[in-house]
Amino acid sequence: MRVRLTALYSALFTIYGAMLLAITFWFMRRSKWVIIVHDDSGPEVRERLERLKAAQLRELLMQSGVSLAIMMVLSVALGWLVAGRVLRPLRTMTATIQQISARNVHQRLAVTGPHDEMKDLADTVDGLLGRLETALDAHKRFVANAAHELRTPLTLERALLEETLTDREATLESYRETSERLLAISKDQGRLLEALLTLTSSERGLDRREPFDLSDLARQALDSAHLEADARGVRIHTRIAPAPSAGHPALAARLVANLVDNAVHHNVTGGHVEVATETRAGRAFVSVVNSGPVIPPQQVGRLFEPFQRLGGRAARGDGHHGLGLSIVHAIATAHGADITAHARPGGGLSVEICFPATVAPRPQYAHTPDDPRQPGLRTIPAAPATSSPGRWPPNRTDR
């Protein structure tokens, strides 16, 4: 780039210098010389003076050409120095960026000075490094949490097997009981791995889009959740209306199912869940409101991070790994959907997801002041939930 800038500076100076000399020479030729001669001088004197004028013009042209050549050499040297001075901040930034790795990703360029293009570039790189640091930290936490989640059942499985092998008085019934416990642990690990694969695939984005209706997906999720809801005494109210959208139907179905499952599971005995789908202003909406334990409003954003549970570590062993809402967030982001979540003052959570009603490119989300780690997620102060007509079950006539 320094060579190209030097060539550019020199070429511009040469062109402008040549144009200036050409204009000067043209004016000199067009100028009228005042020559005073005696009347008896004759035509020989006039002819000699004209030759003298032509010779002076040629000498002026030669001297101008030599001067232009000298200035061209000087312009190359000056252009090289000026280009180096202009590119010095860029070289400094390049050297600093080359030294940044995963171990010192917290380092920043922190360029000071006037607000020009170089500073804009440095500030942009600093912003990129900040987002990269946040992503790396989230990745490290995710890997550590996933390893911890997988290590616990493996340790339990090993302990059960060792206990069975060392028990010389073990009976067929004890072997059967141990096998059933191992099978339950294996199923729990399978659900965890399936959730991790779903989370990974949804974060990759969508390769293609197909039409689906959120109302159909909501009915499917309710069919799967009503057994647990009946067992826990949770009443489900519905307001299902057509809500067409487009995207990945299987992922969208997992999103709605996770919302309903989360609302039923993290509820209280005799609580309620309200599920609604509708279309507003050309966009498809699904909302799930549930009663439950009181959630601090400032903790709502954390619920959409992987391995975050309402009951903390004490909730381990209930078949849920704190991945439900993080999968919801990843799938919504892949579909270009917006999430609005808030804690209800009486306990529980209200989540509303707004899908594009038609095929639309995936938007680039800006970081929100509510939770900079969760693009596309907006948390709002707690507000009372609105009631919804209908009940799911008992009569299930709205299926």
Side-chain angles (χ1 to χ4, degrees):
M1 184 177 291
R2 189 176 186 181
V3 173
R4 291 197 295 269
L5 287 177
T6 301
L8 177 62
Y9 297 155
S10 303
L12 290 176
F13 176 82
T14 301
I15 294 173
Y16 292 147
M19 292 175 60
L20 178 62
L21 293 180
I23 293 173
T24 303
F25 185 76
W26 183 78
F27 277 119
M28 290 295 294
R29 289 193 61 181
R30 296 279 298 178
S31 63
K32 295 183 178 298
W33 292 23
V34 179
I35 304 175
I36 302 176
V37 296
H38 295 286
D39 293 338
D40 55 353
S41 298
E44 292 82 3
V45 175
R46 294 179 180 275
E47 184 179 351
R48 190 162 51 248
L49 291 175
E50 290 294 336
R51 289 198 299 269
L52 177 62
K53 176 182 177 181
Q56 290 178 342
L57 287 175
R58 286 194 299 272
E59 184 178 359
L60 175 63
L61 182 61
M62 292 180 60
Q63 292 175 351
S64 299
V66 173
S67 300
L68 180 61
I70 295 174
M71 292 306 298
M72 285 175 58
V73 176
L74 293 178
S75 69
V76 172
L78 291 175
W80 181 261
L81 294 176
V82 172
R85 181 64 180 271
V86 171
L87 296 176
R88 184 182 302 169
L90 187 60
R91 290 198 300 271
T92 303
M93 288 189 290
T94 302
T96 304
I97 294 173
Q98 289 175 343
Q99 297 173 358
I100 296 177
S101 63
R103 291 176 295 179
N104 61 340
V105 73
H106 61 275
Q107 185 175 346
R108 299 292 183 269
L109 300 179
V111 173
T112 59
H115 192 79
D116 54 12
E117 287 79 3
M118 288 294 182
K119 192 173 187 310
D120 288 342
L121 176 61
D123 293 342
T124 302
V125 173
D126 284 343
L128 176 62
L129 290 174
R131 294 189 294 273
L132 180 61
E133 181 182 10
T134 301
L136 287 176
D137 290 341
H139 176 70
K140 292 177 182 178
R141 291 195 304 270
F142 179 82
V143 172
N145 289 331
H148 188 77
E149 293 288 340
L150 291 172
R151 183 178 60 183
T152 300
L154 288 175
T155 303
L156 181 58
E157 287 179 350
R158 180 176 179 180
L160 289 174
L161 290 173
E162 289 178 349
E163 179 183 358
T164 303
L165 292 175
T166 56
D167 186 6
R168 298 184 178 278
E169 298 180 358
T171 63
L172 179 61
E173 186 64 29
S174 63
Y175 277 114
R176 180 181 297 276
E177 181 182 353
T178 301
S179 299
E180 291 177 351
R181 294 180 63 183
L182 290 173
L183 181 60
I185 295 174
S186 177
K187 290 181 179 179
D188 186 62
Q189 287 180 288
R191 287 193 295 267
L192 174 59
L193 292 176
E194 182 182 358
L196 291 175
L197 290 174
T198 302
L199 182 61
T200 303
S201 61
S202 58
E203 287 180 340
R204 263 200 323 263
L206 302 180
D207 298 329
R208 55 189 174 83
R209 289 179 178 267
E210 299 177 5
F212 60 81
D213 197 314
L214 290 175
S215 62
D216 297 333
L217 303 183
R219 292 187 178 94
Q220 296 173 11
L222 291 168
D223 281 336
S224 301
H226 79 86
L227 290 178
E228 183 179 1
D230 291 343
R232 298 172 62 91
V234 175
R235 303 181 307 275
I236 299 181
H237 304 275
T238 63
R239 188 176 66 246
I240 306 297
S245 186
H248 196 294
L251 290 179
R254 173 58 66 91
L255 178 146
V256 178
N258 280 11
L259 283 178
V260 175
D261 178 71
N262 183 81
V264 172
H265 184 79
H266 297 287
N267 214 312
V268 293
T269 303
H272 66 276
V273 175
E274 301 170 3
V275 181
T277 61
E278 59 181 330
T279 300
R280 298 198 305 263
R283 303 190 70 179
F285 286 79
V286 57
S287 65
V288 178
V289 181
N290 64 279
S291 58
V294 176
I295 304 173
Q298 64 274 14
Q299 298 295 322
V300 173
R302 292 182 64 250
L303 296 178
F304 290 84
E305 297 179 21
F307 302 106
Q308 297 297 323
R309 300 176 177 85
L310 286 174
R313 296 298 179 185
R316 187 188 308 277
D318 58 358
H320 290 68
H321 302 275
L323 290 172
L325 291 182
S326 64
I327 292 175
V328 168
H329 178 266
I331 296 175
T333 302
H335 283 78
D338 298 324
I339 303 179
T340 302
H342 69 262
R344 303 177 71 246
L349 187 67
S350 174
V351 180
E352 181 180 76
I353 301 181
C354 175
F355 279 81
T358 56
V359 178
R362 179 178 175 179
Q364 299 294 327
Y365 291 102
H367 296 306
T368 63
D370 298 309
D371 190 352
R373 295 169 296 180
Q374 300 292 335
L377 171 63
R378 183 169 66 93
T379 59
I380 59 178
T386 58
S387 60
S388 303
R391 185 179 186 274
W392 187 285
N395 52 25
R396 303 179 189 172
T397 56
D398 50 352
R399 288 191 186 184

